[in-house]
Amino acid sequence: MTRIKRGYIARRRRTKIRLFASSFRGAHSRLTRTITQQKIRALVSAHRDRDRKKRDFRRLWITRINAVIRERGVSYSYNIREVLPYSYSRLIHDLYKRQLLLNRKILAQIAISNRNCLYMISDEIIKPVDWTVSPKIIDRIINGVPRS
């Protein structure tokens, strides 16, 4: 009987797995069985931490915005009796109320690079909306009259 040589498919699969684990330490980069276990574990961790990374960055942005806003020490009040310090949650609430679409990443970048710009945004948001200033603007919006 002639000798049958084994195929190359299994060897190719193992070398592909070894290339993935080439940077691992010890037996995790040498033994096929432990390489496959570590590969599964590494991919699970990578999948889990992609979501965690998004979460961590959002927390970082919120912390930065809150620190800059509270550092200013501006107070607001809806009533004359109570004066409350301006905070991150109040800023976001007022942004939504004014329908300004600025996400937390952009606000954090503004807070770090140019604090005065963030202060200007917060000052504009804090101001109460006064529709009696220009009734012509309201008429244009309601009636759809073009600008003259």
Side-chain angles (χ1 to χ4, degrees), residues 78 86 90-102 120-131:
Y78 292 123
Y86 206 63
R90 179 55 54 189
L91 175 76
I92 296 297
H93 173 73
D94 290 340
L95 277 171
Y96 277 109
K97 210 162 58 173
R98 290 290 182 107
Q99 295 179 350
L100 292 174
L101 300 175
L102 290 172
M120 287 170 47
I121 291 170
S122 66
D123 289 342
E124 284 297 319
I125 291 171
I126 292 172
K127 290 180 187 173
V129 179
D130 189 13
W131 294 106

Side-chain angles (χ1 to χ4, degrees), residues 16-85:
K16 194 161 65 172
I17 293 172
R18 280 205 171 91
L19 284 173
F20 180 85
S22 62
S23 62
F24 295 171
R25 294 181 65 188
H28 297 308
S29 66
R30 289 192 200 98
L31 304 177
T32 305
R33 193 173 291 174
T34 55
I35 285 174
T36 55
Q37 290 170 358
Q38 286 304 115
K39 179 182 177 185
I40 291 168
R41 190 168 177 172
L43 292 175
V44 165
S45 296
H47 180 72
R48 180 194 63 225
D49 291 337
R50 273 196 293 275
D51 289 335
R52 184 164 291 164
K53 182 178 168 186
K54 293 176 183 69
R55 225 177 294 153
D56 290 343
F57 268 106
R58 184 182 166 98
R59 286 179 63 191
L60 176 69
W61 297 331
I62 289 171
T63 306
R64 286 178 175 171
I65 296 166
N66 198 15
V68 171
I69 287 294
R70 285 180 184 268
E71 183 182 291
R72 178 114 185 262
V74 173
S75 299
Y76 74 96
S77 68
Y78 292 123
N79 301 347
I80 297 170
R81 294 185 197 126
E82 64 175 334
V83 176
L84 302 169

